[in-house]
Amino acid sequence: MDKRVKFDFEIYFTNGGSIKGEDFRLDIAGDHISDKELADYIVADLRLLMVGQTKILNKEIFNEVHKRKPVNEKAGSDLFIDLSHTIEDGLVTYKGLPAPIICDYLSRENSKALYAEGTTFQIGKIEMVSNTGTYIDCPFHRFEDGKDLSEVGLECFTDLDAIVIRVPFSDTLEITEEHLKNYEIRNRAVLIHTRLG
């Protein structure tokens, strides 16, 4: 059955001001659509720039015949290529954190004493901190109630336009929301450049 979503929204701009909408309705594919998908659609459809914080409020999904193509209908599957470092024993990612240990928990040689003649097993062991190899710091790393990696889709990290914002460390050691004002940062990779030059 066709589904629609009804919601209110608040969109705040990094250069000041905001817009709000009430009882907004859209056709959707399936029984769910995330707040981020709704906010992204509104921003794109209204061609908004300098978007900062967005809020989706009072979201309600209900049955209703579609009037146009659902906003979250996928045209096809996206292809992602994993370029992450291969994790191997002794790999140092971040100085001061321990390197991973990849070894046998039970080797084939040692298993001979535990099983019938001619039967051997190998059980591997991996011990490492989560900041190993190519890793991503998600909001949970810093904020107790922030999303961890299992709650953030891969598309948030791929095929993004990028922006560099310069905040020299000689000016301040603290980066705040004020430093992001007047920049177009929504759905972009943001690099904070803290060195001079």
Side-chain angles (χ1 to χ4, degrees), residues 28-72:
I28 61 171
D31 295 325
H32 175 75
I33 186 168
S34 69
D35 290 358
K36 182 182 182 316
E37 286 177 291
L38 288 175
D40 287 349
Y41 177 80
I42 296 294
V43 168
D45 199 50
L46 297 179
R47 294 185 173 94
L48 302 176
L49 298 174
M50 302 294 192
V51 172
Q53 184 182 25
T54 61
K55 294 181 183 179
I56 302 296
L57 309 163
N58 305 316
K59 182 169 69 175
E60 178 187 342
I61 295 175
F62 55 94
N63 297 330
E64 190 170 283
V65 177
H66 285 176
K67 295 173 174 52
R68 61 181 185 167
K69 180 181 173 185
V71 298
N72 58 337

Side-chain angles (χ1 to χ4, degrees), residues 9 13 16 22 28 53-54 59 78 82 85 102 110 117 129 173 183:
F9 66 85
F13 299 99
E22 294 182 358
I28 61 171
Q53 184 182 25
T54 61
K59 182 169 69 175
D78 293 322
D82 186 358
H85 287 94
I102 302 174
N110 290 341
E117 187 175 335
V129 296
L173 296 179
Y183 289 99

Side-chain angles (χ1 to χ4, degrees), residues 101-179:
I101 300 169
I102 302 174
C103 60
D104 287 338
Y105 175 77
L106 178 65
S107 70
R108 292 196 181 278
E109 187 61 34
N110 290 341
S111 76
K112 290 178 182 178
L114 303 173
Y115 300 100
E117 187 175 335
T119 303
T120 62
F121 291 95
Q122 186 273 348
I123 300 175
K125 175 182 174 183
I126 301 173
E127 182 179 311
M128 66 182 191
V129 296
S130 58
N131 296 49
T132 299
T134 305
Y135 68 93
I136 297 168
D137 279 339
C138 286
F140 180 74
H141 179 66
R142 171 65 178 83
F143 303 103
E144 185 176 354
D145 296 327
K147 291 183 178 181
D148 66 22
L149 190 55
S150 69
E151 300 172 289
V152 181
L154 186 59
E155 66 277 0
C156 293
F157 306 105
T158 59
D159 198 23
L160 299 174
D161 290 332
I163 183 170
V164 177
I165 300 175
R166 287 178 167 73
V167 184
F169 72 90
S170 57
D171 294 349
T172 180
L173 296 179
E174 182 181 18
I175 297 170
T176 69
E177 189 176 325
E178 290 296 313
H179 292 106

Side-chain angles (χ1 to χ4, degrees), residues 177-194:
E177 189 176 325
E178 290 296 313
H179 292 106
L180 306 180
K181 286 190 172 178
N182 298 314
Y183 289 99
E184 184 64 46
I185 61 173
R186 182 174 178 74
N187 293 329
R188 292 187 178 192
V190 179
L191 174 64
I192 308 293
H193 190 287
T194 58

